[in-house]
Every structure is written in structure tokens, then in C-alpha cells.
Amino acid sequence: MLKRVFIIANPVARKASKRKIEGALFFLKEKGFSPELLYTKGPGEGIVLGRSLIKQNNIYAVVAAGGDGTFNEVANALTGTTIPMAILPLGTTNVLAKELGIPEDPKEAMELLNQKIVSLRPGIIKTNGSSRYFLLMAGIGFDAEAVYGVNKKLKKFSGKFAYILSGARNFIRNRPSSITLIIDNEEIKATSAVISKASCYGGYFKIAPDATLKEPSLYAVIFIQNTRKAIIRYITGVLMGRHTRFRDVLYRKSSKVVVPCSCHIQVDGDYFGKGPAEITEGTEELRFFVPNNFS
């Protein structure tokens, strides 16, 4: 019996192309799989399509083809099920692919469906009666405001530059806002925070160097000062890998972070909404295809 594989693809992912997706389909057929392609039509549809698939029988794998936002949506559908997930990186930064060592070449990425399956435990954010899993991070404050202001059309063509432009525009036009967090029962006033499951941010920058998807833990990186001068120093520190040494940056492992304020939040690089919210380690597992050397 042929192994059934479904590809959930985002047609507007920046690097997405008909040639790459068709190449993945051809390779899977050549290797004895029975692939079927499903395209998303808008935000949130990766979750809807993924949940429709878990009701079916004998599915070998679901492949998310797109960027980190697409990966997040499919992961939200499959977490807690027995269906393993794979990814075909086609997005702006593909941070998840970098964290797990997933190659961007379609053929090499699909080769992983014959390799190792591990169980990962995504983090979870809960707000206003709803919840969302995340594989990489939840950003709060200035970080999320930049994501909120991203021009989607510009993002499609320029990738990272759209985020940089949005952050710069917000930096110039608005005074840095203040947020409130409660971490380990301590109330903290800050300007921005990143609650990380993974070490990388925006590509290869190590914002939480001790974080790893291999463990269920969270690492909080909290930037305290809300002056423009401080924010420039924080950004420079992240780019140079020195920010965790700053006296006004809190960096700690935590199992729960509460956001009592009505501030902007982003999840895995896509805008999520506003607080209040609670961010915790997840309890459900996601089965995931990774390279054999992943340990």
C-alpha cells in the first residue's frame, strides 16, 4: 500500500514556486508515496485543512510547505495527534528549518520522510478563551508591534526588509511603549519581551542561546528600558550576540509568563493579537520528521 502524504502549501510564501512544490510531489511519487497537494487560501486555513486530515485514516505524514507561519498553523492542527509533520521551507526566514537542520532544497527536505521522527512539545499561549501553540517564540511589546505593522505585499517581495521597515517606522513615529509581565511571581515593567522555545530569531541571531526545541522549557528574554537609545542598544546587542550580558536585559528559564496588559503579541513571526495572555510550556506533543543526526 502506498504511503499517503498530504502537502499543505501556502501559495504566497515568499520563495514559493510552482516548480519547487511540483518537484517535491514528483520526488515523493518516485519514492513510493501517494502525495496530495492542498493550498491554503488565507490566514488560519492551515489549521482548518490540518484538522480535516486528522479525521482520515492511514495518513503517513503531513508536509507544511511555506514559512514559519504556515508551519505554526499545521503544527496547531497536528499537535496531540499521532500524525507526524514534515516541512518544506519556502518562507521569508525559515527559522524552524534552521533550528531543526531541515534543508531548503525540496528533494533533500522530502528525503527526511524516510528518516527520524522525534516528539517535540510546543509552547502554548492562552488569551480570551482561545489558545495557540508555538514552535519558536511569542513576542510581546515592541517586537510584536513591528510584526503588527508589516506590509504584507512588501513582505512577499522583500522578506526580512518588510519587518525592518515596520520596526523602523514604529521606532521613528512612536515613543516605545511599556508592558507588564509576571514571571516566577515577579511583576516586571519592560518595553519588549521574547518568550522562546527555540534559540534563533529572525534567522541566525541567537536571542535565547540556551533554548532548544528538544526540551519543553521556555526562556524569557526581557528588555527593560523603553527609550529609543536603549532599543538601539538592544538591537545591536542581539545582532552581536551580547544582549544577555546587559544589566537591563533579564534572561531566565521559566515555565509560565503572564501578560496582564493589553499589548501586542506575535507568535512564530505572525501577529496574534493583544493581551491579557498566559504563556506556558505545552503538555501535548508533536511528532516531527528530522535529520538522522538530530539528537
Side-chain angles (χ1 to χ4, degrees):
M1 181 184 292
L2 295 176
K3 298 175 181 178
R4 298 177 71 202
V5 175
F6 286 86
I7 299 178
I8 297 177
N10 177 4
V12 299
R14 179 171 173 254
K15 295 180 183 176
S17 68
K18 186 176 179 180
R19 183 187 302 174
K20 281 190 173 183
I21 293 173
E22 288 184 347
L25 286 168
F26 178 81
F27 177 78
L28 289 171
K29 290 177 183 177
E30 199 174 48
K31 291 295 182 178
F33 294 98
S34 176
E36 183 174 333
L37 176 62
L38 305 172
Y39 278 113
T40 61
K41 297 177 182 179
E45 193 163 356
I47 299 177
V48 175
L49 291 174
R51 286 177 177 167
S52 70
L53 294 178
I54 64 178
K55 300 174 184 178
Q56 300 188 32
N57 297 320
N58 303 318
I59 295 180
Y60 179 77
V62 174
V63 178
D68 290 311
T70 304
F71 306 155
N72 175 280
E73 290 190 2
V74 176
N76 267 271
L78 299 183
T79 297
T81 76
T82 59
I83 301 174
M85 173 178 165
I87 63 173
L88 177 58
L90 301 171
T92 304
T93 53
N94 300 315
V95 178
L96 182 62
K98 292 177 174 63
E99 284 282 335
L100 297 174
I102 309 293
E104 295 197 5
D105 177 79
K107 179 180 177 180
E108 293 179 12
M110 294 302 94
E111 280 276 15
L112 300 185
L113 270 69
N114 286 317
Q115 295 190 30
K116 184 176 180 179
I117 297 178
V118 298
S119 292
L120 308 176
R121 197 180 298 174
I124 187 168
I125 179 168
K126 299 178 182 178
T127 180
N128 298 324
S130 63
S131 62
R132 182 84 172 222
Y133 291 110
F134 62 93
L135 294 165
L136 300 171
M137 92 296 280
I140 308 151
F142 182 83
D143 166 78
E145 289 170 11
V147 174
Y148 175 72
V150 165
N151 183 301
K152 293 181 180 179
K153 291 183 179 179
L154 181 62
K155 176 186 172 183
K156 180 180 178 181
F157 295 103
S158 68
K160 292 181 184 179
F161 178 73
Y163 291 95
I164 296 170
L165 181 62
S166 175
R169 186 189 303 118
N170 182 52
F171 180 82
I172 293 169
R173 293 180 179 177
N174 305 308
R175 176 182 172 82
S177 58
S178 179
I179 63 173
T180 301
L181 305 172
I182 300 172
I183 178 170
D184 301 327
N185 297 316
E186 177 187 357
E187 185 175 298
I188 299 168
K189 299 288 186 182
T191 191
S192 190
V194 178
I195 314 303
S196 294
K197 278 287 304 170
S199 62
C200 290
Y201 179 91
Y204 292 103
F205 306 115
K206 296 281 187 179
I207 195 163
D210 299 299
T212 172
L213 287 166
K214 302 169 190 176
E215 298 178 0
S217 56
L218 301 173
Y219 280 84
V221 187
I222 303 172
F223 303 92
I224 302 297
Q225 302 294 331
N226 68 339
T227 65
R228 288 185 172 87
K229 183 177 179 180
I231 288 176
I232 292 173
R233 180 164 50 84
Y234 294 149
I235 293 171
T236 303
V238 171
L239 296 177
M240 300 181 69
R242 297 178 179 176
H243 60 289
T244 57
R245 306 176 199 171
F246 296 170
R247 291 183 179 180
D248 55 351
V249 173
L250 299 182
Y251 175 55
R252 64 177 68 168
K253 190 175 183 179
S254 179
S255 59
K256 182 171 76 171
V257 176
V258 176
V259 186
C261 58
S262 178
C263 49
H264 291 292
I265 301 172
Q266 63 93 353
V267 173
D268 285 354
D270 281 347
Y271 187 69
F272 176 71
K274 287 188 173 183
E278 180 180 277
I279 304 168
T280 61
E281 298 172 353
T283 58
E284 300 282 356
E285 292 187 335
L286 171 67
R287 302 183 72 221
F288 209 99
F289 287 96
V290 295
N292 283 330
N293 61 4
F294 182 86
S295 59

